[in-house]
Amino acid sequence: MVERLPQAKTDGACCWLNDDSPVIGMSLRKDRIDTFWFVLRHEIEHVLQGDRHAAIIDADLEGIRAGIGEDLPPEERAANAAASTFCVPNQKLILFMKRKHPFYYEKDVIAFAQTATRHPGLVIGQMQFRLNDYRYLARKAAVYKIRNHVLPEAIADGWGQAIRANH
């Protein structure tokens, strides 16, 4: 985990040290559970698909850049689709949103998250994306911070920590 540089919008990166050693980096630019799991699963998909042609740097992974539109390269569409489905099974979310349209109440979202066996923050994040409204339940989503849970167990550079260089 690497603290982002000011003004940088890098969310994740994937590269290979050799044929058997992938490296995934994440910035935790947005301290939210939905972004953490989406970005991590996105980068894992690059590894699973063997996207080794060059280092992949994923920035600003929301909106169109988190979609599956034809304007994105095939490897990015595949990574986004895998990450989206990992966060919330697409068919379940589509059916829920059709059933509740246009009134998506917080209590219904939390109940759906329980039936889908997903964290409410993941459901909110996917709904924000599908609605193209990142203000939707934003206060509730802001409660689901992830950085303090991840950093103590990760190799991290930034946030008051430094990776020691071995000579």
Side-chain angles (χ1 to χ4, degrees), residues 1 8 15 17 39 48 55 86 90 113 117 163 166:
M1 303 294 170
C15 65
L17 299 177
V39 172
L48 293 174
F86 175 82
N90 286 323
T117 63
I163 296 176
N166 296 331

Side-chain angles (χ1 to χ4, degrees), residues 134-146:
Y134 291 91
R135 295 170 300 160
Y136 170 72
L137 290 180
R139 285 189 193 146
K140 184 71 174 174
V143 171
Y144 304 124
K145 303 272 187 204
I146 193 81

Side-chain angles (χ1 to χ4, degrees), residues 10 19 25-26 51 71 79 107 109 121 129 137 140 143 163 165:
T10 302
D19 286 343
M26 295 178 59
D51 296 338
D71 51 331
K107 67 181 179 82
V109 172
F129 170 75
L137 290 180
K140 184 71 174 174
V143 171
I163 296 176

Side-chain angles (χ1 to χ4, degrees), residues 71-87:
D71 51 331
L72 294 174
E75 62 271 12
E76 292 302 317
R77 290 195 309 262
N80 288 340
S84 175
T85 298
F86 175 82
C87 288

Side-chain angles (χ1 to χ4, degrees), residues 89-107:
N90 286 323
Q91 198 58 35
K92 286 183 179 183
L93 184 59
I94 289 167
L95 291 174
F96 168 74
M97 291 181 73
K98 281 183 181 178
R99 193 170 62 250
K100 295 296 182 176
H101 181 77
F103 303 107
Y104 308 114
Y105 297 112
E106 180 180 329
K107 67 181 179 82

Side-chain angles (χ1 to χ4, degrees), residues 11 22 115:
D11 292 310
T115 63

